């Protein structure tokens, strides 16, 4: 590369020499010195005379003309035709800081090259961000007044950076500075150091270092906010105008300190004891405050409150401020001691003492607004400070002074007054006492409410009134001038003395009394009998006696709702001032009197009250037994039953005997005689049912009764024929016979069971449940298949468990094969390479169907090794499976023979050959006693599809036919359909349409014209036989568009295309004339084929000579500009057979 550039340099110099004369300078403009910032763009100008070329040199080294690839940032600028050879440098680097020369030579090849004057390009680099540096041990914060050293340095600049230090915007004098080499020899760094003595006014100011040079960029800065430690000012206490305060005052003191960094803490104490108080610093104002709330007490007299300032090291300790309190206060309390009362005319001595006060207090006595003179007074210092004063007073108790207040007043001059008082209590009895009560002749019914009032006047303390009855207190004494007594009158209140008295005063207390008259009925009525238990016909004497009553009652006797006459007896005195009366009754008892109650009634007409007593007659008689209600007892089998003994006997029954149907029942584990004579029978069976009789006796005679035992037991089904068979459409009855007790109408029901679950279902239409027990019937009319299934005869008598029987209803019908979508014979494809294939057949019928397989009209033997037969039965369905084996032998033989087949013989080539063995037609035969059905299967190797079937014309217009069909067997692979159409008698059409759908619309046809439409199926192995149908387009309506406006009708026959020759001719013309291919092809196709259109999803193909000629099919109209093309010759593939005979 160096040699190449050397040769070029020599050639350029030769040109320069040839174009520059020795006598004239070649430069019109020479480069000048300049400067540029690192990374910028620089341009050195050089203009030479016409015919002279120039190149550049840096520090004496040529850069090349133009600059070589070694200098990608250098390029020449300007117009060389005008002699402009400017050097432009992009992305200036430090290596570009050099001397540059522009060298030029003569145009005629003579004279040496001339160099311009040297131009210096100065590359400037702005300084990097400066950094402030503090020596170890002098980090922030600084202590005010202590000298510190601060350094600032900036690196890698050209020229050297200038550093300026300012504090609070004021430049600082430099202590020292130096410049030293940077990271590159052409770069410089600088450092400056200053000495600084921080003061409190410097706190929070910014120490700023700015770095700059001639590079022109904005100065870069580094800043440091100073944190200077300095002590606060002296504290002051505000909020106290005078040291003289009163006890109870609320003082709000504030200790204030200004300045200080860090802010100081403030602490309060009282007489040296710390007080809890917060402090807060207001940062913008640098003021620290500590509020203190003081509730002045008398103990604060002479106390000193001090606020102390505390600072952090290394600052000096803060100062303090204090105030001393002088407290004045009245006595906090006045105490009165001595008796608060006494009896009238008694002497009372009381003492009054004041609490501590400053100044001392003076005591004054007051009674009802009248000042009293004390007997003596004194003062004494109090232990906690202040002075106490005491005074004694003696007075005589008088009734007029009762209830008046006695006041002791303590007054401290100029401070306040305190008082204490008491109410005098002088004791004396009430002046009078009286009773408010009913008049003496008033009468009251027992139970009536009566109120007695007792009232007093005067007395102290209040009288304590209490009521008493015959000297027995009825209440607790209560103070007051009135007391009521509420009485609910009882017989004991009749004639009793009720007294009211005062228990608060022992002497001179008055009393008052009254008496009441109370009316009350007999407190009791009693009856005595003789004898206690009479026999039938014996005389009985009854005596009725009443308790005390006022007034005397009237006695009457009652039996069986009748009043019996009694004999009155003389009355006698009774308690509570009452009287007792009696009556006698003589009675001859009968059997109907047994257990009945005879009543004695004592009536008090004045009170409207009757008191009664009864006596139950106990008549001795033989047993009177009876049967239970209904005369029967119901019980469940295998349980127990109790036959009750009902009736009366007096005295009680002595012995009882039970019998059944005349036979005596002896006690046994199953037959137990219960207390009271009832019979318990355990573990009942239905044979225990019958008529039972019991006979019992006592001392008076014997009696008997009978009861029938009815044993209930669960139902059971004794007869239910299963299955029940009926021909389809026939009539039959299903029967179910049950037994049980009870067995009532409606207890037997029929229901149908589900096919998959035992749950009940409704009865189908045509089934009728016939009522009746014990035989129930279900009638089947017009038997249908859906009626077949399991039916349940359900018997529920209410005695669990219910009985059930399942009866199957079988509807007989002939065999039926399961429906399949394919028509017969059903194709069965044998995949390539498979040696076996399975054929399934499923049929139903009742009775069950038997399946057999037939080949060639002969049943397939189960001993034939080529076939394996399996059969499963799931009534009414029977499923059979025939597995055909050893197919490979027949496949190889048939395929080897297929090599000799003509194409027209290849279709369905495996049919009609003898000896096919496993291939060909197979039949599944389903048979029962009602008939036989068959299904044919066609066992096929994978081959061409079957022809479409059910071909039909589903629509017609004047220019189109709609064709539909049903696909046949696809031959084992995906199939499509080829559609063509032609006018009868016309030549075969040259093209067709391929589609995968099962319908298609042919368009572009002539009106009222018949067309033969051919449809065949195609798969990978070839085409099926064609299916042809004739369709006729409809006539042209009157409003049909004029000729040329509608679709173009195709000709009667489409001639075969000649497009290969036309294409070759067009290609030749295209090589000579160019562009003729389009015209030639379009003209040719318009002459050869009418314009038709294919539906979306179809493709167009050409005819072939395999099999019958395909017809024109489903040709849809194309756009007028569309070429008729895309033809391809679609031929069915010829069968390919491997050397081993396998069909590929």
């Amino acid at each position: 590369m160096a040699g190449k550039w050397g040769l070029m340099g020599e050639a350029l110099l030769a040109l320069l020499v040839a174009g520059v004369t020795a006598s004239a300078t070649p430069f019109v403009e020479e480069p000048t010195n300049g400067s540029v910032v690192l990374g910028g763009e620089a341009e050195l100008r050089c203009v030479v005379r016409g015919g002279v070329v120039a190149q550049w040199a840096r520090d004496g080294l040529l850069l090349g003309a133009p600059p070589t690839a070694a200098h990608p940032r250098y390029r020449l600028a300007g117009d060389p035709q005008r002699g402009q050879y400017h050097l432009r440098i992009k992305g200036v680097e430090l290596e570009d800081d050099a001397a540059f020369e522009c060298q030029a030579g003569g145009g005629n090849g003579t004279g040496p090259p001339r160099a311009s004057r040297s131009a210096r390009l100065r590359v400037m680099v702005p300084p990097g961000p400066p950094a402030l540096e503090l020596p170890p041990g002098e980090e922030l914060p600084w202590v005010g007044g202590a000298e510190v050293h601060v350094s600032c340095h900036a690196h890698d600049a050209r020229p050297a950076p200038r550093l300026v230090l300012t504090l609070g915007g004021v430049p600082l004098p430099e202590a020292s500075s130096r410049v030293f080499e940077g990271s590159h020899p052409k770069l410089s760094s600088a450092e400056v150091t200053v000495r600084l003595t921080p003061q409190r006014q410097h706190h929070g100011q910014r120490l700023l270092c700015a770095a700059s040079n001639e590079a022109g960029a904005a100065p870069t800065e580094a800043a440091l906010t100073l944190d200077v430690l300095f002590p606060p000012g002296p504290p002051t206490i505000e909020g106290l105008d005078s040291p003289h305060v009163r006890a109870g005052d609320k003082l709000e003191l504030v200790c204030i300190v200004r300045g200080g960094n860090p802010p100081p803490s403030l602490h309060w104490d009282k007489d040296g004891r710390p007080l809890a108080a917060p402090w807060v610093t207001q940062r913008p104002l640098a003021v620290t405050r500590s509020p203190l709330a003081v509730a002045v007490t008398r103990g604060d007299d002479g106390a000193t409150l001090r606020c102390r300032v505390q600072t952090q090291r290394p600052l000096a300790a803060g100062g303090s401020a204090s105030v001393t309190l002088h407290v004045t206060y009245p006595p906090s309390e006045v105490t009165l001691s001595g008796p608060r009362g006494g009896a009238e005319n008694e002497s009372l001595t009381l003492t009054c003492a004041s609490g501590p006060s400053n100044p001392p207090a003076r005591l004054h006595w007051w009674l009802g607004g009248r000042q009293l003179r004390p007997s003596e007074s004194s003062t004494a210092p109090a232990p906690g400070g202040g002075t106490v004063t005491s005074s004694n007073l003696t007075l005589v108790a008088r009734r007029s002074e009762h209830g008046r207040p006695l006041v002791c007043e303590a007054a401290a001059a100029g401070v306040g007054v305190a008082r204490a008082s008491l109410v005098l209590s002088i004791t004396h009895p009430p002046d009078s006492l009286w009773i408010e009560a009913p008049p003496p002749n008033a009468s009251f019914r027992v139970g009536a409410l009566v109120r007695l009032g007792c009232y007093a006047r005067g007395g102290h303390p209040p009288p304590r009134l209490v009521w008493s009855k015959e000297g027995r207190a009825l209440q607790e004494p209560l103070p007051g001038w009135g007391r009521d007594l509420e009485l609910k009158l009882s017989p004991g209140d009749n004639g009793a003395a009720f007294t009211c008295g005062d228990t608060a005063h022992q002497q001179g207390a008055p009393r008052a009394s009254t008496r009441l008259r109370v009316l009350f009925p007999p407190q009791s009525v009693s009856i005595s009998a003789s004898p206690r238990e009479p026999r039938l016909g014996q005389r009985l004497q009854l005596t009725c006696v009443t308790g005390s009553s006022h007034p005397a009652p009237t006695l009457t006797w009652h039996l069986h709702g009748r009043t019996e006459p009694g004999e009155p007896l003389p009355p006698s005195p009774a308690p509570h001032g009452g009287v007792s009366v009696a009556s006698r009754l003589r009675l001859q008892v009968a059997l109907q009197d047994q257990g009945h109650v005879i009543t004695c009634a004592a009536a008090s007409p004045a009170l409207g009250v009757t008191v009664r007593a009864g006596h139950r007659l106990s008549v001795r008689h033989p047993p009177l037994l009876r049967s239970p209600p209904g005369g029967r007892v119901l019980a469940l089998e295998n349980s127990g039953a109790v036959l009750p003994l009902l009736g009366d006997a007096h005295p009680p029954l002595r012995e009882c005997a039970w019998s059944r149907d005349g036979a005596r029942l002896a006690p046994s584990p199953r037959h137990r005689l219960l207390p009271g004579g009832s019979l318990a029978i355990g573990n009942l069976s239905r044979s225990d049912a019958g008529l039972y009789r019991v006979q019992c006796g006592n001392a008076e005679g014997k009696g008997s009764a009978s009861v029938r035992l009815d044993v209930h037991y669960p139902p059971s089904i004794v007869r239910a024929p299963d299955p029940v068979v009926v021909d389809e459409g026939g009539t039959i009855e299903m029967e179910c016979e049950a037994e049980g007790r009870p067995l009532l109408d409606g207890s037997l029901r029929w229901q149908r069971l589900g096919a998959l679950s035992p749950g009940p279902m409704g009865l189908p239409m045509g089934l009728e449940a016939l009522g009746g027990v014990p035989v129930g019937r279900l009638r089947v009319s017009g038997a249908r298949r859906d009626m077949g299934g399991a039916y349940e005869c359900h018997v529920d008598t209410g005695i669990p468990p219910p009985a059930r029987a399942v009866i199957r209803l079988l509807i007989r019908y002939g065999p039926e094969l399961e429906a399949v979508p394919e028509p017969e014979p059903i194709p069965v494809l044998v995949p390539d390479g498979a040696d076996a294939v399975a054929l399934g057949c499923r049929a139903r019928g009742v009775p069950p169907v038997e399946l057999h397989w037939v080949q060639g009209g002969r049943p397939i033997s189960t001993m034939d090794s080529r076939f394996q037969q399996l059969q499963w039965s799931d009534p009414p369905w029977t499923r059979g499976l025939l597995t055909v084996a050893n197919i490979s032998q027949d496949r190889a033989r048939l395929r080897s023979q297929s090599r000799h087949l003509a194409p027209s013989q290849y279709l369905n080539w495996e049919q009609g050959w003898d000896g096919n063995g496993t291939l060909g037609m197979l039949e599944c035969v389903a048979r029962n006693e009602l008939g036989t059905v068959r299904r044919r299967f066609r066992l096929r190797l994978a081959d061409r599809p079957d022809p479409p079937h059910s071909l039909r014309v589903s629509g017609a217009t004047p220019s189109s036919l709609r064709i539909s069909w049903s696909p046949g067997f696809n031959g084992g692979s995906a199939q499509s359909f080829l559609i063509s159409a032609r006018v009868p008698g016309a030549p075969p059409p040259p093209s067709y349409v391929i589609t995968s759908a099962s319908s298609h619309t042919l368009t572009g046809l002539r009106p009222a014209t018949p067309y033969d439409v051919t449809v065949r199926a195609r798969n990978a192995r070839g085409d099926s036989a064609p299916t042809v149908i004739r369709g006729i387009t409809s006539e042209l309506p009157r409003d049909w568009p004029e000729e040329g406006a509608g679709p173009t009708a195709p000709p009667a026959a489409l001639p075969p295309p000649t497009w290969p020759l036309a294409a070759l001719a067009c290609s030749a013309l295209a090589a000579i004339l160019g562009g003729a291919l389009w015209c030639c092809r379009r003209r040719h196709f318009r002459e050869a084929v009418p314009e038709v259109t294919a539906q979306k999803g179809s493709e167009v193909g050409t005819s072939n000579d395999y099999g019958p000629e395909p017809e024109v099919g489903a040709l849809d109209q194309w756009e007028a500009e569309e070429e008729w093309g895309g033809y391809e010759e679609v031929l069915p593939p010829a069968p390919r057979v491997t050397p081993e005979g396998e069909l590929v």
Side-chain angles (χ1 to χ4, degrees), residues 898-1085:
S898 67
R899 302 174 184 175
H900 310 292
L901 295 177
S904 60
Q905 298 175 327
Y906 188 75
L907 186 64
N908 300 327
W909 49 270
E910 80 281 5
Q911 295 186 5
W913 291 0
D914 295 333
N916 280 353
T918 58
L919 301 179
M921 300 296 293
L922 296 171
E923 283 185 328
C924 172
V925 181
R927 178 183 295 111
N928 68 3
E929 61 187 57
L930 299 181
T932 302
V933 293
R934 300 171 181 270
R935 173 162 291 163
R936 294 181 301 152
F937 295 88
R938 179 185 177 192
L939 189 60
R940 306 177 59 177
L941 298 177
D943 60 2
R944 297 170 181 79
D946 286 350
H949 58 88
S950 302
L951 186 61
R952 58 198 177 276
V953 177
S954 57
T957 69
S959 62
S960 65
L961 290 175
R962 178 72 176 175
I963 307 299
S964 302
W965 62 90
S966 297
F969 176 60
N970 62 5
S973 59
Q975 67 177 342
S976 56
F977 301 95
L978 286 69
I979 309 166
S980 61
R982 66 177 177 179
V983 176
S991 61
Y992 49 83
V993 172
I994 300 177
T995 180
S996 59
S998 59
S999 63
H1000 196 78
T1001 300
L1002 302 174
T1003 60
L1005 307 181
R1006 296 175 180 174
T1009 303
Y1011 287 92
D1012 289 337
V1013 181
T1014 303
V1015 181
R1016 67 178 68 203
R1018 169 176 291 182
N1019 66 4
R1021 296 184 177 273
D1023 295 348
S1024 70
T1027 301
V1028 183
I1029 190 173
R1030 175 164 293 179
I1032 302 175
T1033 57
S1034 60
E1035 295 184 356
L1036 191 66
R1038 296 180 179 180
D1039 56 351
W1040 194 258
E1042 295 291 336
E1043 185 175 356
T1048 304
L1054 302 179
T1058 57
W1059 64 270
L1061 296 177
L1064 182 59
C1066 289
S1067 299
L1069 290 175
I1072 303 173
L1073 303 176
L1077 177 59
W1078 168 253
C1079 299
C1080 180
R1081 287 173 58 92
R1082 180 167 181 174
R1083 179 178 179 184
H1084 165 75
F1085 285 122

Side-chain angles (χ1 to χ4, degrees), residues 377-633:
S377 296
S378 62
T379 60
T387 303
V388 296
T389 305
S390 63
S391 175
N392 295 329
L393 175 68
T394 300
L395 57 84
V396 177
R398 303 189 184 279
R399 178 181 295 217
S400 60
E401 295 172 350
H402 171 70
R404 292 185 177 182
L406 177 64
V407 180
C408 178
E409 182 179 81
V415 178
V417 178
R419 296 177 179 85
S421 65
L422 58 84
V423 178
L424 293 179
S425 177
I426 308 301
T427 305
H428 60 90
D431 298 332
S432 61
L433 184 145
W434 67 95
I435 290 177
E436 291 184 358
N441 59 351
S443 297
F444 299 94
R445 293 166 57 98
V446 67
L449 296 177
V450 175
R451 176 176 300 204
L452 304 178
C454 178
Y455 302 97
R457 181 181 292 112
H460 181 75
R464 298 175 66 86
L465 302 180
V466 64
W467 282 92
S468 61
K469 174 184 174 183
E470 300 292 344
R472 180 174 56 86
L474 301 177
Q475 301 169 325
E476 291 292 331
L478 292 177
W481 285 269
R483 189 75 183 272
D484 290 341
L485 175 65
E486 289 187 355
L487 295 173
K488 184 175 183 180
L489 297 180
S490 65
D493 297 331
N494 184 39
F498 291 88
T499 303
C500 177
D502 177 19
T503 61
H505 303 90
Q506 299 299 326
Q507 297 179 354
R511 289 175 174 270
S513 299
T514 187
R515 293 180 183 273
L516 300 177
R517 184 171 180 265
V518 181
L519 306 180
F520 55 92
Q523 296 178 334
S524 64
V525 177
S526 62
I527 299 175
S528 60
S530 179
R532 295 288 301 173
E533 292 185 348
R535 285 189 172 87
L536 288 175
Q538 188 176 3
R539 182 175 290 275
L540 174 67
Q541 179 176 300
L542 300 171
T543 302
C544 178
V545 180
T546 69
S548 177
S549 65
H550 181 246
T554 301
L555 298 181
T556 56
W557 293 89
H558 304 275
L559 176 64
H560 298 306
R562 304 187 307 270
T563 300
E564 300 289 340
E567 178 185 354
L569 299 178
S572 61
H576 313 306
V579 64
S580 175
V581 298
S583 175
R584 181 183 297 123
L585 175 66
R586 291 181 175 88
L587 181 68
Q588 188 169 357
V589 297
L591 183 60
Q592 61 267 24
D593 296 331
Q594 167 64 23
H596 286 273
V597 177
I598 187 168
T599 303
C600 175
S604 300
L607 298 175
V609 176
T610 301
V611 180
R612 294 178 175 84
H615 175 75
R616 185 174 296 277
L617 299 178
S618 179
V619 181
R620 297 172 66 89
H621 63 88
L624 299 176
L625 305 181
R626 64 183 183 274
S627 301
R632 65 179 59 233
V633 172

Side-chain angles (χ1 to χ4, degrees), residues 97 196 217 239 259 264 331 364 411 450 641 686 860 872 886 987 1005 1082 1099-1100:
D97 190 279
L196 178 63
H364 304 278
V450 175
R686 60 193 70 178
I860 297 177
W872 297 269
N886 299 326
L1005 307 181
R1082 180 167 181 174
E1099 53 182 293
V1100 180

Side-chain angles (χ1 to χ4, degrees), residues 213-415:
N213 66 359
E214 290 84 351
T220 57
E221 298 178 346
L224 183 68
T225 301
L226 298 189
D227 187 5
V228 181
L229 304 180
F230 57 90
T236 59
I237 296 178
E238 298 179 358
L240 186 64
D241 298 332
S242 170
H244 296 278
V245 295
R246 299 182 62 177
D249 288 350
K250 301 292 185 180
L251 301 182
E252 301 289 342
L253 305 181
V254 180
C255 181
I256 301 176
V257 176
R258 290 174 171 79
N261 183 40
S265 60
L266 303 182
H267 304 273
W268 287 89
D269 64 71
K270 182 173 73 173
D271 293 337
R273 295 188 304 274
L275 300 177
W279 71 87
V280 63
T281 300
Q282 296 175 305
R283 293 288 181 179
L285 302 178
V287 176
T288 302
R289 301 173 183 268
S290 176
L292 177 66
V294 178
V296 179
T297 64
R298 67 185 185 90
D300 294 332
D301 187 31
T304 300
L305 297 176
R306 183 179 63 165
C307 174
R308 183 169 50 87
V309 180
Q310 183 174 342
T311 59
Q312 298 181 4
R313 293 183 180 181
L315 299 178
S320 64
S322 63
V323 294
T324 300
L325 302 180
H326 300 279
V327 182
T328 61
Y329 49 91
S332 59
E333 61 180 356
V334 176
T335 305
L336 276 174
S337 58
R340 292 180 174 268
E344 189 176 9
N345 298 322
E346 182 182 356
S347 293
L348 304 177
T349 300
L350 296 96
T351 301
C352 177
S354 70
S357 65
N358 185 23
R362 296 184 64 184
L363 300 181
H364 304 278
W365 291 88
W366 303 85
L367 179 59
R370 177 171 56 92
Q371 187 173 2
L372 305 179
R373 184 182 298 276
S375 57
E376 60 178 343
S377 296
S378 62
T379 60
T387 303
V388 296
T389 305
S390 63
S391 175
N392 295 329
L393 175 68
T394 300
L395 57 84
V396 177
R398 303 189 184 279
R399 178 181 295 217
S400 60
E401 295 172 350
H402 171 70
R404 292 185 177 182
L406 177 64
V407 180
C408 178
E409 182 179 81
V415 178

